[in-house]
Amino acid sequence: MSYTIIKTETLDGVGLIRLNRPQAMNALNGALMAEVVDALQAFDRDPDVGAMVITGDERAFAAGADIKEMADASVVEMMLAERIEHWDRIRQIKKPIIAAVSGWCLGGGNELAMACDMIVASESAKFGQPEINLGVIPGAGGTQRLTRAVGKAVAMEMVLNNRTLDAEEALRYGLVNRVVPVERYLEEALALAKEIAARAPLAVRLGKEMVNHAFESFLADGVADERRAFYILFSTEDQKEGMRAFIEKRKPQWKGK
Ligand code: DAK
């Protein structure tokens, strides 16, 4: 399969996926997400691949879902959009996925990193859930996985007040596995993936499944509730204003309705 937005290759038993929309800070539009999921599924089926790495570029892992794509969407359009299923499909991937993160890792970008099994961060990585600036909340597991990863106190600040974590804070709070100099973050993630890829495949598969089981008990309910809450915000004037203001590069005027 050839892709137009992502780049893929296989290195020493590791499937590498590079998000490649640098002009948009790797914002996750529907087409990009479809390619990511397709590549993950292909690597998951490939007997020569034991683990995967998803990365962006030095400036941005991904700056979130594509605001320009969803700014004018209605509740119904958001609910019916195929991109929603992409996130569920990522959860079905059986082999381990490591996110190699540098630069901005925001909104849906942070949710994609958290949907992976481990995160290797460069010293320049910055993690956040800035949806509140757009008049919405995280809609792809952000409120749920983030809270389990960093705890309630930090998650509340990130979700309600756009607190951004630098790489060292993210390490301290348990969001990432390790922090390395920017020149080495991808190399480090690939080396970690290669080590895991060389381990007993079935044990790795069940190990991943069981750790996620512990992490995700009751998560499905939370994600479903979060999704409904996310849709509801698309019926507010503040969502339209928040996203329009971003595109027009001005401060939003909140109305609380
Ligand atoms: N969407 C679309 N375009 C984006 C973008 C985004 N998220 N982030 C950046 N860009 C574009 C900018 O518009 C700009 O494009 P041009 O103006 O050049 O055409 C280009 O990338 C470069 O960005 P900047 O000029 O802004 O670059 P700076 O270095 O000044 O700032 C920044 C970098 C990352 C701090 C800034 O771009 C920024 O604040 N970006 C927005 C971050 C954000 O708000 N992210 C959250 C988006 S909402 C769901 C699944 C997922 C989601 C929801 C539901 N379901 C399954 C239900 C996720 C929602 C979100 O992620």
Side-chain angles (χ1 to χ4, degrees):
M1 169 92 190
S2 66
Y3 300 108
T4 55
I5 312 180
I6 63 169
K7 292 183 173 171
T8 63
E9 60 189 302
T10 305
L11 303 155
D12 295 327
V14 176
L16 173 62
I17 298 173
R18 292 177 192 266
L19 312 181
N20 190 30
R21 282 189 84 202
Q23 73 286 1
M25 298 273 171
N26 291 325
L28 307 170
N29 62 14
L32 183 147
M33 285 302 292
E35 290 194 0
V36 167
V37 171
D38 188 274
L40 287 172
Q41 290 177 331
F43 284 139
D44 215 24
R45 287 190 301 267
D46 184 342
D48 295 329
V49 167
M52 301 155 216
V53 171
I54 303 180
T55 196
D57 54 50
E58 257 182 54
R59 252 182 359 146
F61 176 73
D66 192 317
I67 299 167
K68 294 166 190 171
E69 194 177 60
M70 65 180 166
D72 295 318
S74 67
V75 180
V76 173
E77 283 161 352
M78 288 302 291
M79 286 176 70
L80 296 181
E82 215 231 320
R83 62 177 171 269
I84 277 105
E85 275 82 54
H86 298 326
W87 295 88
D88 296 332
R89 288 183 195 126
I90 293 174
R91 291 181 65 228
Q92 309 302 326
I93 299 293
K94 297 180 190 72
K95 293 171 189 169
I97 314 170
I98 298 173
V101 175
S102 181
W104 295 110
C105 185
L106 300 177
N110 196 38
E111 290 170 310
L112 177 60
M114 291 190 295
C116 296
D117 303 301
M118 298 177 207
I119 302 177
V120 172
S122 90
E123 285 167 345
S124 74
K126 291 176 281 293
F127 301 85
Q129 298 290 158
E131 289 88 345
I132 195 78
N133 290 346
L134 304 169
V136 293
I137 61 171
T143 60
Q144 306 300 300
R145 289 197 180 91
L146 184 68
T147 306
R148 282 166 166 80
V150 304
K152 177 178 169 180
V154 176
M156 281 289 186
E157 281 198 69
M158 292 177 74
V159 173
L160 305 191
N161 203 28
N162 188 28
R163 175 169 173 191
T164 304
L165 301 184
D166 64 29
E168 283 304 328
E169 288 174 310
L171 182 66
R172 192 172 345 127
Y173 296 132
L175 183 61
V176 308
N177 293 72
R178 46 184 93 168
V179 176
V180 295
V182 72
E183 320 77 67
R184 284 208 298 110
Y185 75 98
L186 181 55
E187 188 188 317
E188 183 85 7
L190 287 168
L192 178 58
K194 184 179 164 187
E195 273 180 45
I196 296 167
R199 296 189 184 280
L202 290 174
V204 167
R205 173 174 163 172
L206 290 184
K208 165 174 169 154
E209 198 178 314
M210 288 304 110
V211 173
N212 277 334
H213 193 1
F215 189 69
E216 293 192 352
S217 302
F218 308 116
L219 179 70
D221 291 346
V223 170
D225 280 348
E226 176 196 69
R227 194 174 283 178
R228 277 191 288 276
F230 182 82
Y231 295 146
I232 286 168
L233 287 164
F234 273 75
S235 66
T236 67
E237 290 179 28
D238 281 352
Q239 173 270 327
K240 295 285 173 291
E241 167 66 5
M243 296 196 177
R244 188 55 47 206
F246 172 82
I247 292 167
E248 293 168 5
K249 299 184 189 292
R250 62 175 173 79
K251 262 188 104 155
Q253 302 291 318
W254 303 124
K255 291 191 184 143
K257 52 182 186 170

